[in-house]
Amino acid sequence: EEETDRVSRRFAGQEQVRISRGVASETGLPDSTATKVVCNGVFILLDDAQILPSLEEIVRISKTGARVFIGELPHCDENAHITYGSSISKWLFWVLKHQGLNEFIRRLKQTLNALVSKEPFIITTKTLYYCSREAFVRKASSRGLSLIRTFPHQSMGPDGRIIESRTRQDYIFKVEK
């Protein structure tokens, strides 16, 4: 809900953009209507059984030739080294140990702010979907998507610098019907 609200505010008043919430494998959108599909940070939250139906849904709702962006898909298990479980205090100490004092203070402020305000604090599962680049491209190709380009995911750090991910890939596909 928070993500949908944030994106809806950003694109408010732009008629050519439709923001909707749904399940990746059952969007409820009509056949062959989308010219562009953006799934950023979506596939990472799916399990292996949901991947192919979600790719099929993307192809179903897309026009032939549509561009599809699938972002932030890890190609390795990013959580293999994490030992804090679901404890917020253990997570904060893990941040201190692995990311330093500045990041610890930033995350502590974020946590305290969420406790005393309406600011959302999202705690996600520690089990994230990951797939090698080659295997994901094969899965997408098997459902009618042809790869245009893949590249490391980029995000903005707290200081405004662009950080290139060592574990997450972004993909651009073309729908082939």
Side-chain angles (χ1 to χ4, degrees):
E1 186 175 320
E2 293 91 358
E3 185 70 10
T4 305
D5 291 344
R6 184 183 67 78
V7 174
S8 294
R9 282 191 305 273
R10 180 161 187 262
F11 291 103
Q14 295 186 27
E15 292 180 27
Q16 71 275 21
V17 176
R18 178 176 174 195
I19 309 297
S20 60
R21 288 178 26 204
V23 178
S25 60
E26 296 177 38
T27 64
L29 298 171
D31 293 353
S32 300
T33 56
T35 56
K36 294 180 184 170
V37 176
V38 177
C39 294
N40 194 41
V42 173
F43 278 68
I44 192 173
L45 301 173
L46 303 178
D47 61 38
D48 196 47
Q50 296 170 307
I51 297 299
L52 293 178
S54 297
L55 291 169
E56 290 166 0
E57 180 70 354
I58 287 171
V59 170
R60 183 190 69 75
I61 67 170
S62 298
K63 293 179 179 181
T64 301
R67 296 298 193 257
V68 176
F69 175 85
I70 297 175
E72 290 196 67
L73 183 59
H75 53 79
C76 63
D77 185 357
E78 295 177 330
N79 294 327
H81 65 286
I82 293 177
T83 58
Y84 55 78
S86 59
S87 166
I88 291 176
S89 61
K90 287 182 182 179
W91 168 68
L92 286 168
F93 286 112
W94 181 90
V95 169
L96 178 62
K97 181 178 178 183
H98 293 90
Q99 298 178 344
L101 183 60
N102 288 340
E103 187 64 13
F104 170 78
I105 291 169
R106 187 175 82 78
R107 295 300 191 161
L108 180 60
K109 286 179 183 176
Q110 180 185 27
T111 304
L112 294 172
N113 185 46
L115 290 171
V116 298
S117 72
K118 292 184 178 184
E119 183 69 27
F121 187 76
I122 301 169
I123 300 172
T124 64
T125 177
K126 304 301 182 284
T127 306
L128 302 174
Y129 177 77
Y130 63 94
C131 186
S132 74
R133 289 179 281 264
E134 298 77 16
F136 187 68
V137 169
R138 276 193 309 275
K139 288 178 184 197
S141 295
S142 76
R143 294 308 188 256
L145 296 168
S146 63
L147 180 68
I148 294 175
R149 183 172 165 227
T150 182
F151 46 94
H153 178 72
Q154 294 182 339
S155 59
M156 187 177 295
D159 60 357
R161 288 184 306 123
I162 299 295
I163 301 168
E164 191 170 277
S165 176
R166 294 186 309 249
T167 60
R168 294 184 182 197
Q169 287 294 119
D170 292 344
Y171 300 82
I172 300 175
F173 294 98
K174 179 180 176 185
V175 175
E176 307 283 352
K177 287 189 181 184

